[in-house]
Amino acid sequence: MTSIILVVATRLIFPLMLMFSLFLLLRGHDAPGGGFVGGLMAASAFALFAFATSVTRARDALRRSTFRLIGVGLLFAFISGLPGLFAGSPFLTAMWTSAEVPVIGKLSSVLLFDTGVLLVVVGVTLTIVFAMAEADEEEEE
Amino acid sequence: MLPILIPFLMAILSIINWGNRVLHRFLALAGSVGLLFAALALLTTVSEQGILSSNTGDWPAPFGIVLVADLPGAIMVLMAAIVGLAVLVYSTASLDEARERFGYYPLILILLMGMCGAFLTGDLFNLYVWFEIMLIASFALLALGGSRAQLEGSVKYFALNLLVSAFFLTGIGFLYGMTGSLNMAALAQALRAAGPEQPVTTVAIFFMIAFGIKAAMFPLYFWLPASYHTPPVAVSAIFAGLLTKVGVYAMIRMFTLLFVQDTAWTHGLLLVGAALTMLSGVLGAVARREIRRILSFNIISHIGYIVLGLALYRPLALAGAWLYLIHHVIVMATLFLVSGIVQRVGGSFRLARLGGLYQRHPGLALLFLLPALALSGVPPLSGFWPKLVLLQAMLQDGLWLLAAIALLVSLLTLFSMMRIWVGAFWSQAPAGVVTPAPMASVERRMLYGPVLALLALTIAISVFSGPAFELTQRAAEQLLNPQQYIVAVLGESP
Amino acid sequence: MEVALAIVIGALYAAGLYMMLRRSMVKLIAGLVLLGYASNLLIFVVSRLTRASPPLVPEGAHSVAEPFADPVPQALILTAIVIGFGLQAFALVLVRRAFQAVNSDDLDQVTASDRPDLQA
């Protein structure tokens, strides 16, 4: 079922897709992009990897369990709301630091929130894709 | 803010540590205790200082998403916290390992978070989002474990709730097209100013159908008795106590704050719907022979009472309805939890297979009898007072027929509850029944503890019905005077 | 354009309802998905249909130049699509599991919750 073309192409495309997902995340504030599309892009990279090899290999490549990704992502989003709370404004008020960081631009609670979104999207999408793909693999055996 | 954030944080932490049962239990209990305190604090602040509002992300009111805490909302948050805590304690003893491992506790926490969000939001679309959060958690809870009956119940529940989402979204689309805002306070102003050429009532019907399905009103309740008796008891209890009430709450919000242009028609329709809900629900209950299904049908018939209070649309009736809501949340959760204990000691939910429990467990019999009588409205228990108030309101409006129906429904409720009493407790045990192993003392404490606590609350409401009624009267006043709400959200200058 | 979209939305609602009334579980889900699309499109039309005029305030002006597309409904649709995506994914898994349990796609066979003899 796995074709050699798909395997080789995946080897090339997989890192590119991950980098593109990071690029989408970082440019998201002022241009089309952001955590959600970035997450979908990263998730499709892993899904492609799973189709080319196997779900087990893809899970290994992800290193962390998908649930943990969801949890950490939510935690990021949660933390990003706190600075506003400490500064006396309501929850989730957007805050920027004044320091410029190369490539990323100004660090902000918004970026943290978007990173959280990315992780959650990757986690949720892959949980579903892996669960369905695993059920298929079992049936084939 | 806190009532939403605490369960959220705990749910996050438990998702990170997926599969760790002991930690999950601990986090869930800590979360619900924290929620309880936050809810108490919120209720006292709101009742002393009036309506609170907070703009998330510091976007000003009509544009950003607003969280508003007024008395009705704060009361419901407290109810959610109480029932949530009771159910969580109960489930530590009654749940099997597989369910606990598959994220039962984080799901309950997310469910609680969704409810608190729905009770506190001041934005229509945000309400939709909280509803969906609740839905996803409840779907997963319903399907978790995956016996055939459970999966089928989930399919029915799922299909109808997706339909609700479509209706709700369509209604939101129309409303936004008409007014250009989704902030409930701004909507309330815009809709009051809307001319007769605007199809406000049509949109109102969209929302009525959406929340009617949610709240299990006639003729849209068929999903409820098909699904509520399938999951584990702890899940049934939290669904029965709270989930339908969120629908009722949203309905009351919509039809006091937003859709009051043509009360003769919309509220008249609600009145008829409520009466039919009461009747058909209780007739269903009388016809059943399984404890949890009888209780499911009783939920429906008593939703009718609450909607009736809304439909009468006068301060007395709304106050009664709100008191009824409080009473019903607690009593229904208690009854479902008791039914779980009955199943544990008697081995079945079906009346034909039960019997003789009174001899073996007289304490349990009393635990069942008290909330059952409270549910049917036997004085002086907690169900009696709101019924009295509602009856008074009906008679003031000269609705004799309706009052007669309400009384008849109470009587039939009593009949259906007594049937459980006779079948499970009073009668002789049928031959050949295997008695399950007796409970260990820890299990006993975890199962009986929450039931006793909830029962104590019921009795407290019965005894202190005066202060409780005053509180709900103030809540009803806030509901009927949306000006307060609008000022709190949008500021002084309208 | 509005008229065309109105017809499309109406057709989507009709198709969704028709699919929901079939007896197959998969068609039920497909119908619900169509209904969701229909309501999303409805909200989209509410935001006014304009081409290439984003709601940005031009240099030196105080308000947005007319006609512009209202961005709020588009944000709403985005949220609704994301939620819908999650729900539909769950629905597919659920229907699959239900199919394995019932061994049939026919909704008329989905009666176990009303029959005590099939319950554990």
Side-chain angles (χ1 to χ4, degrees), chain A residues 90-94, chain B residues 1 53-60 64-67 126:
Chain A
F91 189 68
L92 276 179
T93 307
Chain B
M1 276 319 301
S53 85
S54 157
N55 303 329
T56 45
D58 219 6
W59 296 94
I65 291 170
V66 197
L67 294 177
N126 199 230

Side-chain angles (χ1 to χ4, degrees), chain B residues 10-64:
Chain B
M10 293 302 161
I12 293 172
L13 291 177
S14 8
I15 292 174
I16 294 182
N17 296 291
W18 193 258
N20 187 340
R21 286 171 52 212
V22 183
L23 190 70
H24 272 192
R25 283 183 182 182
F26 172 74
L27 284 171
L29 288 179
S32 53
V33 171
L35 179 61
L36 187 60
F37 281 112
L40 274 175
L42 186 71
L43 185 59
T44 42
T45 340
V46 170
S47 86
E48 276 162 18
Q49 300 174 8
I51 304 174
L52 301 174
S53 85
S54 157
N55 303 329
T56 45
D58 219 6
W59 296 94
F63 307 110

Side-chain angles (χ1 to χ4, degrees), chain B residues 62-67 117-118 121-133 165-166 168-176 181-185 187 207 211 254 258, chain C residues 36 39-40 43-44 71-84:
Chain B
F63 307 110
I65 291 170
V66 197
L67 294 177
T121 187
D123 184 281
L124 203 53
F125 194 76
N126 199 230
L127 182 67
Y128 167 76
V129 173
W130 288 123
F131 260 86
E132 300 301 306
I133 290 176
S165 301
F168 197 176
L169 215 55
T170 312
I172 288 177
F174 276 124
L175 260 190
Y176 189 83
S181 174
L182 287 169
N183 183 293
M184 288 200 217
L187 275 177
F207 283 95
F211 295 136
M254 290 298 134
L258 301 184
Chain C
S39 40
N40 284 345
I43 300 182
F44 179 65
V72 177
Q74 301 185 359
L76 301 186
I77 298 169
L78 188 61
T79 319
I81 289 175
V82 172
I83 293 174

Side-chain angles (χ1 to χ4, degrees), chain A residues 14-126:
Chain A
F14 181 67
L16 269 179
M17 282 174 87
L18 286 187
M19 267 155 60
F20 187 57
S21 114
L22 207 62
F23 168 71
L24 282 175
L25 168 70
L26 291 180
R27 82 195 287 262
H29 194 68
D30 293 320
F36 186 73
V37 258
L40 280 183
M41 185 56 80
S44 30
F46 280 101
L48 186 66
F49 192 81
F51 290 142
T53 56
S54 72
V55 175
T56 336
R57 295 270 310 272
R59 276 194 199 276
D60 288 345
L62 196 62
R63 298 262 177 84
R64 304 273 179 276
S65 87
T66 50
F67 288 117
R68 185 157 288 206
L69 280 183
I70 302 174
V72 173
L74 286 174
L75 192 63
F76 273 21
F78 182 80
I79 293 172
S80 78
L82 294 182
L85 216 54
F86 285 124
S89 356
F91 189 68
L92 276 179
T93 307
M95 302 281 233
W96 275 269
T97 56
S98 46
E100 287 268 346
V101 179
V103 185
I104 299 179
K106 283 182 188 158
L107 278 180
S108 66
S109 63
V110 181
L111 182 64
L112 191 63
F113 185 85
D114 257 0
T115 318
V117 171
L118 183 133
L119 290 176
V120 175
V121 171
V122 174
V124 171
T125 318
L126 287 183

Side-chain angles (χ1 to χ4, degrees), chain B residues 206-446:
Chain B
F206 267 109
F207 283 95
M208 195 190 285
I209 292 175
F211 295 136
I213 297 180
K214 277 265 169 219
M217 260 182 76
F218 183 87
L220 310 160
Y221 62 75
F222 296 102
W223 57 273
L224 193 146
S227 60
Y228 268 27
H229 63 287
T230 55
V233 188
V235 178
S236 296
I238 202 165
F239 281 13
L242 292 170
L243 214 54
T244 42
K245 307 301 182 301
V246 185
V248 178
Y249 172 84
M251 175 103 85
I252 295 182
R253 257 279 183 264
M254 290 298 134
F255 285 89
T256 53
L257 190 62
L258 301 184
F259 302 116
V260 288
Q261 288 72 30
D262 195 1
T263 44
W265 204 76
T266 51
H267 291 64
L269 193 62
L270 279 175
L271 202 64
V272 176
L276 287 173
T277 310
M278 280 158 54
L279 264 181
S280 55
V282 86
L283 288 179
V286 168
R288 299 292 142 174
R289 292 287 183 285
E290 204 253 56
I291 297 181
R292 286 201 288 176
R293 310 197 70 189
I294 295 177
L295 293 179
S296 301
F297 273 105
N298 271 325
I299 299 177
I300 298 171
S301 81
H302 289 255
I303 291 287
Y305 274 104
I306 303 169
V307 178
L308 192 70
L310 164 68
L312 290 175
Y313 198 62
R314 46 163 59 237
L316 189 64
L318 261 179
W322 219 261
L323 192 61
Y324 208 104
L325 204 54
I326 297 173
H327 141 81
H328 194 242
V329 167
I330 294 176
V331 166
M332 228 36 211
T334 322
L335 280 172
F336 266 90
L337 292 181
V338 171
S339 80
I341 301 183
V342 168
Q343 193 254 356
R344 177 70 184 76
V345 299
S348 174
F349 285 117
R350 291 170 63 190
L351 292 179
R353 296 231 195 103
L354 285 167
L357 286 177
Y358 181 73
Q359 284 170 337
R360 285 188 286 137
H361 303 275
L364 180 63
L366 189 67
L367 276 187
F368 175 80
L369 191 60
L370 277 177
L373 291 180
L375 183 76
S376 350
V378 173
L381 290 164
S382 63
F384 171 67
W385 306 106
K387 273 186 185 156
L388 189 68
V389 174
L390 282 175
L391 272 180
Q392 243 178 331
M394 280 180 251
L395 294 185
Q396 275 178 16
D397 277 355
L399 298 163
W400 294 97
L401 182 64
L402 207 59
I405 290 180
L407 284 175
L408 178 70
V409 169
S410 282
L411 200 66
L412 287 174
T413 308
L414 189 65
F415 175 66
S416 72
M417 296 315 283
M418 284 311 108
R419 176 173 247 158
I420 301 183
W421 166 257
V422 169
F425 295 96
W426 206 244
S427 67
Q428 288 292 314
V433 171
V434 204
T435 323
M439 290 187 267
S441 72
V442 181
E443 191 187 355
R444 187 189 309 255
R445 238 173 283 153
M446 289 304 198

